[in-house]
Amino acid sequence: MSTSTSAKFINSVYQTVLTRNPGETEFHQAVHEVFESLAPVIDRHPEYSESAVLQRICEPERQIIFRVPWIDDHNRVHINRGFRVQFNSALGPYKGGLRFHPSVLLGTVKFLGFEQIFKNALTGLPIGGGKGGSDFDPKGKSDREVMRFCQSFMTELHRHIGQYVDVPAGDIGVGGREIGYLFGQYKRLTNAYESGVITGKGIGWGGSRARTEATGYGAVIFAQEMLATRDQSFDGRKVLVSGSGNVALYAIQKVQQLGGTVVGASDSQGAVYDPDGIDFDLLRQIKEDERARISEYAERKGGRVQYRTSGSLWSIAKEEQIDVALPCATQNELNAEDARTLVNSGVQAVAEGANMPSTPDAVHTFQKANVLFGPGKAANAGGVATSALEMQQNASRDSWTFEYTEQRLTDIMKRLHRSVQQTADEYGHPGDYVMGANIHGFSLVADAMIAQGVI
Ligand code: NDP
């Protein structure tokens, strides 16, 4: 096929995705973003179109939607909706987190599951792609309420998962507390201590050291590798990190370990600008231990710290020259205007700690300005990679040291960076990490799907 014939074919598949999945705009966006890169691969590999890999990869192998009833502390009954989308098992058991947030719809879970297929492939580890969640909001709920919700959620989910079938983990709104309640209920229902059924567990009961840190650390290592291609590093650099959850916190810590200064962070209600550099220990205590708002940080640290509720975090780049941006909160949180602000500020590199945080226009703005841009499916793969390391430890009934696990994570991120970079070079787009990640991830999955027949 010529590139233009391939592009037409890809567009026709995309049109089918739009009609078959009405209203699922985030899923459409995720598919479009991958498809934009694929014409040269379809050109080179006619077998991909002949065996309908593109059509099959957009159709989840299984989608489960279920009712989650639970009772609050005042004896009131609530009903939430639970989801698990088992997207693709060509490379291994489905693997991907659970998101608990009021905004979660089937289309949200499908966008995340679709991204997960390629991200997991890029880690080079034997894991397929899946994702799940609920429109339940853990914010403002007591521990007992969260426990009852998690138990009810797992009462249905347990039928569909297993260490060789589907292995959930955390995501927005699902951290160590929720994983504990979910695992406890799974164990109770199955009467088996199947450690490898869920990752993100506590260190004392089957969890992996460095898993909590892995996504944030991995994103910074990826950014460091990108910077190194231009003989630059984090040392002495000014950085903005959006969010202040699991990914953001440990991205902040790793930037500081590498000599950079993080001057801003945020949550869904506002942003802090701290020209002297975010105090990681204080922010971690407020967000992780106390589950409080980021506004607390400004109140407690005082001095030159400013708390802002209007305008986005990225507008700090109008006042301070920013070298690296790490969006680590949620999807579509960085738009074209934010991207222009960062470009005007002189930003050198952007690595996505979150999934799809930059809008398509923002990505094009960065790429046009020759900014090093690491898409989420490559830059934030350290979390799921370390989850796979947790599964390895569970399977061998072993427990590795922090140093060893972090070293494995670092090696995986460096190898991942290299493979994405080499693929971009091979396809004539040097430095284009979006093309590199999409093509490499897709090819690995497509080859396995073809080998396994039309299923
Ligand atoms: P957390 O729940 O720990 O933190 C999310 C952070 O983002 C919070 O600070 C939250 O603020 C903020 N946030 C959420 N929604 C919005 C919004 N609409 N606008 C602005 N800020 C918002 O989640 P994680 O840190 O685990 O996940 C963050 C991102 O990273 C997600 O995109 C997730 O899919 C992705 N990711 C996570 C991995 C992991 O290992 N945890 C692995 C790979 C990707 P608030 O507290 O006010 O809600």
Side-chain angles (χ1 to χ4, degrees), residues 171-182:
D171 191 80
I172 290 181
V174 178
R177 173 182 63 172
E178 290 75 17
I179 295 291
Y181 296 146
L182 290 164

Side-chain angles (χ1 to χ4, degrees), residues 99 101 112 119 131 139 170-174 211 215 242-248 266-269 287 292-293 328-331 333 353-356 380-381 383-384:
R99 175 175 293 190
H101 192 275
L112 290 163
K119 179 190 313 193
K131 200 84 188 187
K139 272 208 204 79
D171 191 80
I172 290 181
V174 178
R211 174 61 188 91
T215 310
S242 63
S244 48
N246 172 261
V247 180
S266 60
D267 64 17
S268 57
Q269 290 173 5
K287 296 299 294 190
R293 314 303 314 165
C328 295
T330 194
Q331 62 270 22
E333 50 149 317
N355 286 311
M356 212 167 72
N380 70 39
V384 73

Side-chain angles (χ1 to χ4, degrees), residues 139-156:
K139 272 208 204 79
K141 306 289 189 302
S142 70
D143 287 352
R144 289 291 166 92
E145 288 173 329
V146 170
M147 181 180 76
R148 286 194 290 274
F149 173 81
C150 288
Q151 290 177 339
S152 181
F153 185 87
M154 185 53 85
T155 300
E156 174 60 33

